[in-house]
Amino acid sequence: MSSALKQIFLMIRVNLGSLPRRLWISLSIVLSVALVVAVLAGFLAMARGFEAALQGAGSTGIAVILGGGTNQETGSDVPAEAIRSLTAATGGIGVARNAAGGLALSREIVVAVDVTRASDGADQALSLRGMDLAGPGSRERATLSAGRLFSPGARDIVVGARIADEFSGFAVGDKVRLGAVDWTVVGHFTSGGSAFESEIWADLEAVQSAFDRQGQVQSLRVRLDGAGGLPVLQEHLSAFPGAPLTALSEADLYAAQSERTASLIRLFGWPLALLMAVGATAGALNTMMSSVSDRAIEIATLRLLGFGRLPAFTATWVEAVALSITGAALGILASWLAFNGWQASTMGANNTKMAFQLDVTADVALTAGLLGLAIGIIGGALPALAATRLPLTSALRARG
């Protein structure tokens, strides 16, 4: 091992060994970095959890048909004539057929209903989705966890797991007033934590009747006939007269929705984290400069004993980086303990509540940790340079 490397390792050991004597100064750097990392990880975990909830709801084997030229259910209207033409179609149109030979199709509509939350008495808008009997079966991850499905024409509702957990009065057998009529809770369902668990499902015609939406259909859900079914369906719909009909995979529909909201969350999170990082970097720089100043005699003595500028620079820089790594690890641990699995909610389609879980994944931890590491790298560079430029004679004279 060369003399320079020996000097570098020795000075690093001396610097790190003296940290307990500078405990409070060192802790200030660690805690400031930890705070920055925890805040950024919290925002990224929120965005990641929201994406997971929506993307988990989508399937590439299911297509959603929308009307009116829109690519989301809000504002969509599928004309009755278009539905009749579609169901009467013969031959291959890209849609799978059921055992009776008809299309595997569910007509659907979503209305917002106000429900009072028991915990604080606040009104919360939830999504009530009216659908045909084929609707629940087109949700690949949805399974009944209690009770049964709704009956045709009856005012029965099946409630998502997140709603059943958060709101009182949604136990199986309970009567719930939604809109101007009472509904009976006949079942609960789970969907792997996806956005579907923030919905209430009921029979299409019962919802249309209760909310004066007779004949209105916002979307059609169809099961595609194989991997190449979507282009065939899109070509078939392009020949329909009147208002244009759009067909897109359920996965693409929810991916687009998740991207918009997740991007907005990141848009708020990153500037805040970067602003805090600038402050933490300035704090680290100031603290390390004070540390170099306090150890001026120690560094000067080592320099006079033959240690070069490079070991002095490297040891000081490594100290700053080590403290920032410790702070980053502490921040990641704190964010995981505080945020991972934490229940949150936001406004989804039709201005209704959509619940999701914050998810501190490996990529979230890595991104936030790298920002913490950058604070040490940048904040420690100038003090490390200052350590190489100490006036040796004046520093030693200060001993007397």
Side-chain angles (χ1 to χ4, degrees):
M1 184 181 294
S2 69
S3 174
L5 284 177
K6 289 181 179 179
Q7 290 181 3
I8 289 173
F9 287 129
L10 180 59
M11 286 199 71
I12 289 174
R13 196 170 81 177
V14 170
N15 276 20
L16 296 181
S18 66
L19 285 178
R21 301 201 310 267
R22 297 171 282 116
L23 180 62
W24 296 111
I25 291 178
S26 303
L27 277 178
S28 67
I29 297 177
V30 170
L31 292 178
S32 62
V33 172
L35 180 61
V36 172
V37 170
V39 168
L40 178 60
F43 275 101
L44 295 180
M46 187 183 302
R48 186 67 191 90
F50 185 81
E51 287 176 332
L54 279 177
Q55 291 173 1
S59 168
T60 55
I62 301 296
V64 181
I65 300 174
L66 305 170
T70 182
N71 61 353
Q72 52 187 323
E73 286 183 287
T74 305
S76 170
D77 182 30
V78 182
E81 184 176 343
I83 298 174
R84 286 193 295 268
S85 299
L86 189 65
T87 54
T90 58
I93 61 171
V95 178
R97 296 184 178 272
N98 55 31
L103 297 182
L105 175 149
S106 173
R107 301 166 299 159
E108 301 188 0
I109 185 174
V110 180
V111 297
V113 292
D114 289 328
V115 176
T116 302
R117 190 163 50 197
S119 59
D120 55 10
D123 286 339
Q124 185 74 61
L126 301 178
S127 292
L128 172 62
R129 182 180 292 273
M131 59 176 67
D132 289 323
L133 283 178
S138 67
R139 273 77 176 174
E140 295 183 350
R141 301 175 65 186
T143 57
L144 274 176
S145 57
R148 60 173 176 83
L149 289 176
F150 52 82
S151 299
R155 287 175 180 166
D156 297 338
I157 56 174
V158 184
V159 180
R162 294 190 189 276
I163 296 176
D165 290 341
E166 184 173 349
F167 294 85
S168 62
F170 282 96
V172 175
D174 286 351
K175 295 282 188 180
V176 181
R177 178 163 287 266
L178 302 177
V181 298
D182 291 331
W183 301 76
T184 302
V185 180
V186 297
H188 294 165
F189 70 89
T190 61
S191 184
S194 73
F196 290 142
E197 292 185 4
S198 296
E199 294 183 344
I200 302 170
W201 294 347
D203 177 70
L204 173 66
E205 294 181 359
V207 174
Q208 290 174 328
S209 173
F211 293 89
D212 197 23
R213 304 286 184 90
Q214 284 84 356
Q216 183 179 1
V217 174
Q218 286 180 314
S219 64
L220 303 176
R221 261 179 171 78
V222 297
R223 185 170 296 278
L224 293 171
D225 187 15
L230 184 59
V232 176
L233 175 61
Q234 290 171 333
E235 183 179 356
H236 180 75
L237 294 177
S238 66
F240 278 31
L245 296 178
T246 303
L248 65 163
S249 73
E250 191 180 55
D252 289 341
L253 173 68
Y254 285 110
Q257 291 181 12
S258 69
E259 182 60 30
R260 286 191 295 269
T261 303
S263 297
L264 186 61
I265 294 172
R266 294 188 180 98
L267 184 64
F268 282 101
W270 269 108
L272 177 61
L274 290 176
L275 186 62
M276 293 178 65
V278 170
T281 302
L285 189 153
N286 184 60
T287 302
M288 289 301 299
M289 288 293 283
S290 299
S291 174
V292 170
S293 178
D294 290 342
R295 293 184 296 116
I297 297 175
E298 177 184 316
I299 295 172
T301 301
L302 291 173
R303 291 288 314 284
L304 287 175
L305 289 175
F307 284 74
R309 292 179 182 272
L310 180 60
F313 175 89
T314 305
T316 305
W317 202 19
V318 167
E319 178 186 341
V321 171
L323 291 173
S324 69
I325 290 175
T326 304
L330 181 62
I332 291 170
L333 177 62
S335 66
W336 188 84
L337 292 174
F339 301 132
N340 195 51
W342 189 64
Q343 296 284 343
S345 63
T346 187
M347 301 305 290
N350 301 301
N351 294 320
T352 56
K353 172 189 173 73
M354 199 203 82
F356 61 95
Q357 284 186 338
L358 273 67
D359 192 6
V360 183
T361 58
D363 62 307
V364 167
L366 179 61
T367 302
L370 287 175
L371 179 61
L373 178 61
I375 293 173
I377 293 174
I378 298 171
L382 189 59
L385 187 62
T388 68
R389 296 175 176 274
L390 284 175
L392 305 185
T393 54
S394 59
L396 290 176
R397 198 177 299 121
R399 183 189 295 269

